Amino acid sequence: MDARPIKEDAACEALRHDWSRTEVAEIYRTPLTELVYRAQTVHRRFHAPDRVQTCQLISIKTGGCPEDCAYCPQSAHYDAGVERQGLLDPQHVIEVAREATARGVTRFCMGAAWRQAPEGREFESVLEMVRGVAATGMEVCCTLGMLTEVQAVRLREAGLTAYNHNLDTSPEFYGSIITTRVYEDRLRTLAAVRKAGITVCCGGILGMGEGEEDRIGLLHQLATLRPHPESVPINMLVRVAGTPLGSMPSLDPMEMVRAIAAARILMPASRVRLAAGRLQLSPEATTLCFLAGANSIFVGEKLLTTPNPGPSEDEKLLETLGLKPLEPHAV
Ligand code: SAM
Ligand code: DTB
Ligand code: SF4
């Protein structure tokens, strides 16, 4: 490897936040081999090309969510057969996190099927989980729905390092997927997270029936956030029976490759995560996603409620490709 990764702060000048939608469209529509070549070139300037961060998810509160996100098996508006589960016991969550560190996981993400983070006893329990997970030395991420500025500060004080809150799709397509909140609500929570000094994890979902223009619109929104989200999850829709998107036609995996490559070029210093949907990708398509600049995956048998490739499958893939998990603390 002749290109040394450069540090994020040193590279800040190279980062642009003023991308026009036309520029994003031009990048997205570049012939695929050229696009992947450009993305890989950028990737090597900013990141160690042989490292992939492994992150683990846990659903700390499952199902019964009042929002109507059309993709989501946890929405109370649909019956996707997800068993509801109240907030887990903090000690149990901390134990699962400790086990994850032993497997080389360096980021632990706690997800809750809430419209917004609650106040009171349940929020205190989440803070206890954050403190316990932070003590393992892993990056600690939560995704709890909308947050107030005060809640964001309290999470930061408990040791939260990242908050996941996805924009999901373009502003134009958003209303076809979710009616119980608006894009602006998402942006407001993202601003509260930033203000509290927590890093932002923000991305979207492909394969929901959106057009190419919507994928471009999502990338444009993400790449014009200032600063860029430190982590950008690109999810491929997991089609769950019982949700309105349960029988969507399958997405061409090359759209995942294009979106990841474009994200890498637009947000060079960010960690781009090949998130949900890996079970629907062949090893070859997954490899192309890594080549396009993805440098993080979720590991473990389950995402929040849906299956994910198991540890043996992932270990085999990473070994075949010669990719190594990110070292602890080497963020
Ligand atoms: N309730 C919180 C919220 O929506 O922000 C946190 C949990 S929610 C399950 C986290 C993210 O998971 C969503 O923003 C969405 O991007 C992703 N997600 C949910 N269901 C999915 C599916 N079926 N396929 C792919 N991604 C999905
Ligand atoms: C993200 O962008 N994807 C993860 C994480 N952030 C929270 C969630 C994927 C959920 C997939 C559907 C499920 O398992 O319920
Ligand atoms: Fe609720 Fe989050 Fe699912 Fe939407 S994505 S229904 S907010 S759990």
Side-chain angles (χ1 to χ4, degrees), residues 189-266:
T189 292
L190 292 171
V193 168
R194 266 286 166 234
K195 193 169 167 201
I198 299 168
T199 68
V200 168
C201 172
C202 184
I205 308 177
L206 273 52
M208 302 192 290
E210 76 286 345
E212 187 185 75
E213 199 48 58
D214 297 305
R215 298 193 271 276
I216 290 165
L218 167 69
L219 288 163
H220 179 238
Q221 288 287 326
L222 298 170
T224 51
L225 290 173
R226 196 182 182 98
H228 293 151
E230 285 78 0
S231 153
V232 181
I234 306 290
N235 296 275
M236 185 173 187
L237 175 70
V238 179
R239 293 166 293 173
V240 184
T243 64
L245 302 185
S247 37
M248 266 288 142
S250 64
L251 177 79
D252 179 347
M254 291 310 137
E255 294 300 322
M256 289 291 288
V257 176
R258 273 191 189 280
I260 288 169
R264 170 53 64 231
I265 293 166
L266 296 164

Side-chain angles (χ1 to χ4, degrees), residues 57 71-74 82 109-111 143 164 166 168 201 203-205 233-235 238 240 273 275-277 298 302-307:
L57 281 165
Y71 48 75
C72 186
Q74 302 201 65
V82 168
C109 178
M110 294 171 271
T143 179
N164 166 251
N166 291 337
D168 283 340
C201 172
I205 308 177
I234 306 290
N235 296 275
V238 179
V240 184
R273 182 165 306 125
F298 287 119
K302 215 154 78 159
L303 293 161
L304 289 171
T305 65
T306 63

